[in-house]
Amino acid sequence: MDQELKAEMKRLTALGLHQRCVEGGLEKAAALTLEINRLKKEKKAVICAHVYQTPDIILGVGDLVGDSYKLADDCRRTAADVIVFCGVHFMAETAKILNPGKKVLVPSSNAGCSLSESITGEDVRKLKAEHPGAPVVTYINTSAEVKAESDCIVTSANAEKILRRVYEKSDKVIFVPDRFMGANLAKALGKTPGKDIILWKGTCIVHEQFNPELIKVYRKNHPGLAVLAHAECPSDLIAAVDFMGGTGDMMRYVENTDASGYLLVTECGFGELAKLRFPKKNFIAMCRLCPYMKSITLESVLAALRDPSYPEVTVPADIAAKAKVAIDRMFELAA
Ligand code: SF4
């Protein structure tokens, strides 16, 4: 076997990738990561990897790793010429809006998002007409067109903080598109849905599926279990957990606590990463796969990097300019 390939297999093994989530075996993964990392240098590319991606992508080739807030923030400072976004399309659009001069690629044509697809710019215009003067606070899981109709963008990492700031100046806010996250935030802020927080009907097809009844079973079987759930989960489930937040907050919670076990109620990729980062901690599986996130593989990353005519992410200049104002407002209010 080629020495370079042997060395790459050793590197991946040291990262813990020999144990899990390497489809087709370590040798195949090493051949792919070797070539992707070589092409990255040649093309001055950076790979952004969301925490719901598989560990072979995150650890094998990822340069910027995190939740949607961290990736958007990190993208603002990259010196790369090409951004390969291993996440979903709305995230890549945000990267393009923040880096109009760079080439942005998503290595899958199926990397959508049920939340993003639940609402259009026209829907937001109608909501604004129905609730004149109410600021539109929009979850980052939306298209550039929807962001362009918004006053401020939020992520699960900063939504509560930013909404508190917005409510200092407004009695009523339009929050789109996640109705579960909106209801969870309304509860945390003491607001009434339909009165002082206007919600949309969008849901995440991954987080809406979790059953709160199962949490009781897990707690009974694992005394001392810490239950963490993503803010996109329905409110009856959130009522049964110890911590609600975005994935960045959940990872910090795991890092800074010492529970006998952790039940992570979110997409499976997050649990895989947590296990690799904290191998001595005990994780209980209760997760679902996001088909959009998992449509990206090492093979598709390599194909996108190799192909000079691979379709780029584009955002019309007028929409990008308006969306950027709302995204910049997030960075300002989240700081
Ligand atoms: S996990 Fe849910 S919110 Fe995230 S990309 Fe998948 S469908 Fe969208």
Side-chain angles (χ1 to χ4, degrees), residues 40-61:
K40 265 187 347 193
K41 276 190 203 141
E42 186 187 306
K43 302 200 173 216
K44 291 197 184 119
V46 69
I47 294 192
C48 291
H50 188 268
V51 290
Y52 292 165
Q53 294 292 302
T54 49
D56 50 355
I57 291 177
I58 294 178
L59 301 173
V61 298

Side-chain angles (χ1 to χ4, degrees), residues 274-294:
K275 279 179 209 165
L276 288 165
R277 281 194 180 160
F278 308 107
K280 293 197 176 137
K281 298 203 177 195
N282 180 28
F283 295 96
I284 315 289
M286 179 172 169
C287 71
R288 295 254 191 264
L289 290 171
C290 172
Y292 306 109
M293 287 280 183
K294 294 312 198 253

Side-chain angles (χ1 to χ4, degrees), residues 50 52 88 90-91 112-116 139 141 178 203-207 232 267 290-293:
H50 188 268
Y52 292 165
V88 290
F90 74 81
M91 297 175 182
C113 168
S114 63
L115 275 173
S116 179
Y139 189 31
N141 295 33
D178 188 339
T203 58
C204 160
I205 57 162
V206 174
H207 292 96
E232 289 165 9
E267 211 275 344
C290 172
Y292 306 109
M293 287 280 183

Side-chain angles (χ1 to χ4, degrees), residues 43 48 65 68 90 102 107 137 174 177 193 196 206 210 217 245 261 284 292 314 326:
K43 302 200 173 216
C48 291
V65 174
S68 25
F90 74 81
K102 295 188 195 299
V137 176
I174 299 168
D196 37 24
V206 174
F210 294 111
V217 178
I284 315 289
Y292 306 109
T314 56

Side-chain angles (χ1 to χ4, degrees), residues 53 57 85-87 106-108 111 292-297 300-301:
Q53 294 292 302
I57 291 177
F85 215 109
C86 297
V106 182
S108 165
Y292 306 109
M293 287 280 183
K294 294 312 198 253
S295 66
I296 295 175
T297 60
S300 71
V301 175

